[in-house]
């Protein structure tokens, strides 16, 4: 059984016994991303009894509930009714968005998989750096690790798969690529994404008043700097990054 | 002395854990909390206190501890060698640890995660609503030798209580329900998955454990490029080489590898407690049967406080043995 062209979106599916996933597509698109963010915001505002947590991924909203406290069918009916209440694909982006410029070293021993990723995309390393440093990408969701953004969308050449084997570890601030997206790592962890750039940005600051720096809807540029320039930015938790408000 | 537990020597995997911090999934922070939540509930039942209090989670081995003042303790989870001033202390039981006495906790005899609970629970800073260390994201940290762990006020109660033993420390069969991407796997692969015995790899931590199939790995159609989607504890991801990873309390919050199924929350302690080299099998159940299992597990947790009973004392250490009434009742044995 596979999802075929007859699959109708949006779609509500169970995720385990205590979760529901409300999905607005099977691939990333801007309307589906906006729909997921707006739907989740509405669930949060509605404060349904029995719903313990809600979140978003790229094109889905996730609800977790206590299946022993509320009837899963009732929650599902509630979710369906909200889904049917409007056209979510024309929802606006969240308010208070910002444009970030985050200085990045491409390649070198700091980001050893640039050449390999460029080759997978059919580009020279110089062309790859041009693409990655000049494409303005948007935070589509925060996930995997605390404060960690999935950013897109890159030009079509970058529709490259993840690696089959995991890299043992990438450092905090690693910029990685796969399937037309960038992920900027907030923690040091194993990953299947290719490590093409390195920043000095700290995205998760548990002791700060604002522990999570980036928000869905924020836009980001990754301008190229030299390793020496990056080294000088390491004392700054923002790693030399600057933000400006977007209208 | 202050009300604290002094850590003289610490095994490599000690951290404070409670029931975790729900609500931050949207910011990419998983709930975390104790790897074996049933062990938290057992400790709470033994000490007659809230299961939301923090305990010391010990991975593989414990350490040497000293009470700054008299305190009640309980030992739960993976059974470990334990002694108080050299005298063996029963596992899965509560004890009174006098000021100055040394509690030594050695290696796990089976399982992975042992828990040291104290009356009143461990105190200490609350970050984002929890005292749990979230090691994968650098929140809190490991407890090291030389630490002095503050302990909250204890309203007091019995010690010398124990709970019936449990078999979750050496692998076995866990129940699974279908998940978002189960349908991407052909029926024949699902059948093979259920028929396969997996060995818990030595690659495993609070984020998840790798389980190695005895035969070939598992492959969905077009698996490596599925869109990254929400991940929660219990999800079984099939990584690029076909080997499953079962996600645990401190897992990432999204992932792009397809999920073949989701382990029932009530069976997850069995996965977490399967030590390297032990074997696991997965069995799909219907959502209805899954809910029934959750209900039973919740009832079991609620009944733990009533299930606690006094430890049997070693007759050789009872001076006036003959004055005890040794048989106080007879039952049919099926209660």
């Amino acid at each position: 059984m596979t999802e075929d062209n007859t699959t109708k979106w949006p779609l509500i599916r169970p995720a385990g016994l205590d979760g529901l996933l409300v999905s607005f597509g099977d691939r990333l698109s801007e309307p589906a991303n906006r729909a997921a963010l707006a739907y989740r915001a509405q669930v949060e505002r509605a404060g349904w009894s029995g719903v313990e947590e809600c979140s978003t991924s790229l094109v889905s909203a996730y609800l977790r509930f206590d299946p022993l406290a509320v009837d899963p069918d009732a929650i599902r009916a509630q979710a369906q009714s909200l889904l049917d209440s409007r056209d979510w694909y024309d929802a606006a982006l969240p308010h208070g968005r910002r444009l970030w410029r985050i200085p990045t070293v491409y390649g070198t021993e700091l980001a050893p998989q640039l050449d390999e990723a460029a080759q997978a995309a059919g580009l020279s390393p110089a062309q790859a750096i041009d693409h990655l440093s000049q494409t303005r990408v948007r935070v589509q969701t925060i996930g995997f690790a605390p404060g960690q953004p999935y950013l897109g969308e890159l030009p079509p050449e970058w529709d490259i798969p993840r690696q089959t084997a995991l890299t043992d570890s990438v450092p905090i601030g690693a910029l990685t690529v796969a399937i037309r997206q960038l992920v900027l790592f907030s923690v040091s962890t194993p990953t299947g994404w290719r490590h093409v750039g390195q920043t000095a940005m700290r995205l998760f600051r548990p002791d700060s008043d604002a522990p999570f720096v980036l928000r869905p809807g924020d836009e980001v540029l990754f301008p190229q700097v030299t390793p020496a320039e990056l080294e000088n930015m390491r004392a700054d938790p923002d790693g030399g990054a600057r933000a400006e408000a977007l209208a | 002395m202050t009300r604290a537990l002094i850590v003289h020597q610490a095994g490599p995997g000690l951290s404070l854990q409670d029931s975790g911090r729900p609500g931050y999934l949207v910011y990419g922070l998983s709930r975390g909390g104790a790897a074996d939540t049933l062990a938290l509930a057992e400790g709470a039942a033994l000490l007659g206190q809230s299961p939301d209090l923090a305990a010391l989670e010990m991975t593989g081995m414990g350490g040497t501890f000293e009470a700054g003042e008299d305190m009640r303790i309980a030992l739960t989870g993976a059974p470990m060698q334990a002694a108080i001033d050299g005298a063996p202390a029963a596992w899965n039981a509560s004890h009174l640890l006098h000021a100055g006495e040394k509690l030594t906790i050695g290696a796990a005899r089976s399982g992975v995660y042992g828990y040291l609970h104290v009356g009143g629970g461990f105190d200490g800073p609350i970050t984002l609503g929890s005292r749990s260390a979230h090691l994968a994201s650098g929140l809190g940290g490991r407890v090291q030798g030389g630490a002095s762990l503050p302990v909250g006020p204890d309203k007091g109660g019995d010690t010398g209580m124990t709970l019936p033993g449990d078999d979750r420390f050496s692998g076995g069969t866990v129940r699974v329900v279908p998940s978002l991407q189960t349908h991407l796997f052909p029926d024949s692969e699902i059948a093979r998955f259920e028929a396969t015995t997996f060995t818990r790899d030595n690659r495993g931590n609070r984020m998840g454990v790798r389980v190695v199939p005895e035969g070939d790995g598992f492959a969905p159609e077009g698996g490596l490029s599925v869109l990254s989607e929400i991940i929660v504890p219990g999800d079984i991801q099939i990584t690029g080489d076909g080997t499953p990873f079962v996600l645990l309390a401190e897992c990432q919050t999204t992932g792009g590898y397809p999920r073949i199924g989701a382990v029932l929350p009530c069976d997850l302690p069995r996965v977490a407690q399967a030590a390297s080299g032990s074997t696991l099998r997965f069995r799909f159940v219907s959502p209805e049967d899954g809910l029934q299992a959750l209900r039973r597990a919740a009832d079991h947790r609620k009944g733990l406080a009533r299930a606690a009973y006094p430890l049997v004392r070693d007759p050789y250490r009872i001076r006036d043995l003959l004055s005890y009434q040794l048989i106080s009742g007879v039952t049919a044995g099926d209660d």
Side-chain angles (χ1 to χ4, degrees):
Chain A
M1 179 171 116
T2 52
E3 275 160 23
D4 54 34
N5 297 333
T6 63
T7 304
K8 291 223 168 45
W9 306 94
L11 182 67
I12 301 184
R13 291 173 289 177
L17 290 175
D18 59 356
L20 277 186
L21 196 73
V22 183
S23 296
F24 294 88
D26 62 351
R27 59 195 58 228
L28 181 58
S29 71
E30 185 185 317
N33 181 238
R34 281 190 275 112
L37 292 173
Y39 185 92
R40 187 253 167 201
Q42 187 55 43
V43 171
E44 188 81 358
R45 271 193 295 273
W48 294 341
S49 108
V51 171
E52 299 190 326
E53 181 151 28
C54 54
S55 181
T56 51
S57 58
L58 293 165
V59 296
S60 304
Y62 169 77
L63 283 69
R64 184 170 62 81
F65 55 91
D66 177 354
L68 300 182
V70 287
D71 177 5
D73 291 337
I75 290 281
R76 185 169 179 145
Q78 221 165 356
Q80 185 67 52
S81 156
L82 177 61
L83 191 57
D84 295 340
S85 69
R86 63 164 287 184
D87 178 3
W88 294 94
Y89 293 99
D90 69 4
L93 280 165
H95 292 291
R97 302 187 308 118
R98 297 156 299 172
L99 170 63
W100 291 83
R101 288 185 174 81
I102 304 177
T104 305
V105 171
Y106 291 95
T108 78
E109 72 279 10
L110 293 179
Q113 291 177 297
L114 177 77
D115 290 358
E116 181 189 320
Q119 193 173 18
L123 300 169
S124 69
Q127 287 171 321
I129 292 171
D130 284 349
H131 278 203
L132 298 173
S133 62
Q134 289 163 24
T135 304
R136 186 158 147 174
V137 287
R138 191 158 67 222
V139 178
Q140 295 156 325
T141 190
I142 300 289
F144 187 83
Q148 183 165 300
Y150 286 72
L151 303 134
E153 183 172 39
L154 291 171
E157 293 89 329
W158 292 95
D159 194 9
I160 61 174
R162 300 171 191 78
Q163 312 170 91
T164 51
L166 295 181
T167 305
D168 283 343
S169 173
V170 292
I172 291 175
L175 184 66
T176 65
V177 67
I179 51 171
R180 296 185 71 178
Q181 287 176 302
L182 295 166
V183 171
L184 181 59
F185 275 77
S186 66
V187 295
S188 177
T189 179
T191 181
W193 293 54
R194 289 184 174 87
H195 184 192
V196 294
Q198 185 62 43
T199 74
M201 180 80 162
R202 294 195 81 87
L203 294 167
F204 178 46
R205 304 170 195 174
D207 297 322
S208 140
D209 291 341
F212 309 98
V213 180
L214 295 180
R215 299 193 289 256
D218 283 354
E219 300 194 4
V220 185
L221 279 164
F222 292 98
Q224 185 179 20
V225 295
T226 65
E229 286 169 319
L230 191 75
E231 197 51 43
N232 289 333
M233 294 167 176
R234 286 195 187 272
D236 171 11
D238 282 344
R242 296 289 174 265
E244 62 184 83
L246 287 173
Chain B
M1 291 291 276
T2 55
R3 188 161 170 75
L5 187 78
I6 301 147
V7 183
H8 287 293
Q9 184 255 320
L14 268 50
S15 66
L16 289 184
Q17 297 295 339
D18 56 21
S19 46
R21 45 176 72 75
Y24 296 96
L25 192 58
V26 71
Y27 302 107
L29 181 61
S30 57
R31 221 177 323 165
D36 180 352
T37 53
L38 180 53
L40 269 194
E42 289 167 339
L46 285 167
L47 294 174
Q49 60 190 17
S50 164
D52 295 329
L53 294 173
L56 185 65
E57 183 176 274
M58 305 173 286
T59 312
M61 63 183 301
T64 308
F65 310 93
E66 182 187 332
E69 61 177 52
D70 289 2
M71 58 180 71
R72 299 189 304 144
I73 63 164
L75 304 167
T76 68
M80 294 170 163
Q81 307 283 353
I84 295 174
D85 273 357
W91 202 261
N92 218 30
S94 58
H95 304 276
L96 183 60
L97 186 63
H98 293 100
E101 281 183 335
K102 291 270 172 63
L103 168 68
T104 52
I105 302 178
R109 293 193 297 263
S110 64
V112 178
Y113 296 103
Y115 293 84
L116 167 57
H117 310 256
V118 290
F122 288 102
D123 207 344
I126 296 177
T127 307
L128 303 175
S130 166
R131 294 189 174 88
S132 278
H134 197 289
L135 301 172
S137 57
L139 193 50
R142 295 194 190 281
V143 170
Q144 313 275 358
S148 176
L149 304 174
V151 174
D154 184 7
K155 60 182 171 55
D158 287 338
T159 53
M161 301 297 282
T162 187
L163 283 168
D166 191 72
D167 71 348
R168 69 181 183 278
F169 304 108
S170 50
T173 299
V174 296
R175 290 163 292 188
V176 170
V177 288
S179 184
L180 301 175
Q181 287 125 358
T182 304
H183 65 274
L184 297 180
F185 294 83
D187 291 347
S188 57
E189 284 288 86
I190 298 290
R192 199 165 61 79
F193 181 75
E194 283 195 292
T196 297
T197 299
F198 295 86
T199 302
R200 201 312 209 147
D201 193 49
N202 58 11
R203 272 177 271 183
N205 54 29
R206 292 177 35 78
M207 296 177 73
V209 297
R210 186 171 187 263
V211 294
V212 182
E214 65 189 353
D216 292 340
F218 299 86
E221 309 289 334
L224 293 183
S225 287
V226 301
L227 199 60
S228 287
E229 194 47 271
I230 297 280
I231 283 266
V232 291
D235 282 349
I236 308 171
Q237 276 196 302
I238 303 295
T239 52
D241 63 1
T243 308
F245 246 99
V246 186
L247 294 154
L248 298 181
E250 210 170 89
C251 66
Q252 69 270 30
T253 65
T254 58
Y257 290 114
R259 271 146 281 185
I260 198 165
V263 175
L264 295 190
C266 56
D267 285 2
L268 212 46
R270 183 179 296 276
V271 178
Q273 292 286 14
S276 174
S278 51
T279 56
L280 285 163
R281 290 180 65 131
F282 300 94
R283 180 165 63 82
F284 276 90
V285 296
S286 68
E288 294 71 31
D289 288 352
L291 271 181
Q292 182 66 26
L294 287 192
R295 213 166 277 127
R296 277 205 204 97
D299 290 345
H300 173 73
R301 288 191 187 203
K302 280 192 205 116
L304 281 173
R306 283 194 309 278
Y309 61 94
L311 280 167
V312 176
R313 294 164 68 194
D314 181 347
Y316 286 104
R317 299 180 63 186
I318 303 177
R319 278 172 304 181
D320 50 350
L321 180 65
L322 292 178
S323 69
Y324 280 72
Q325 184 190 351
L326 294 176
I327 298 172
S328 62
V330 175
T331 74
D334 58 0
D335 57 357

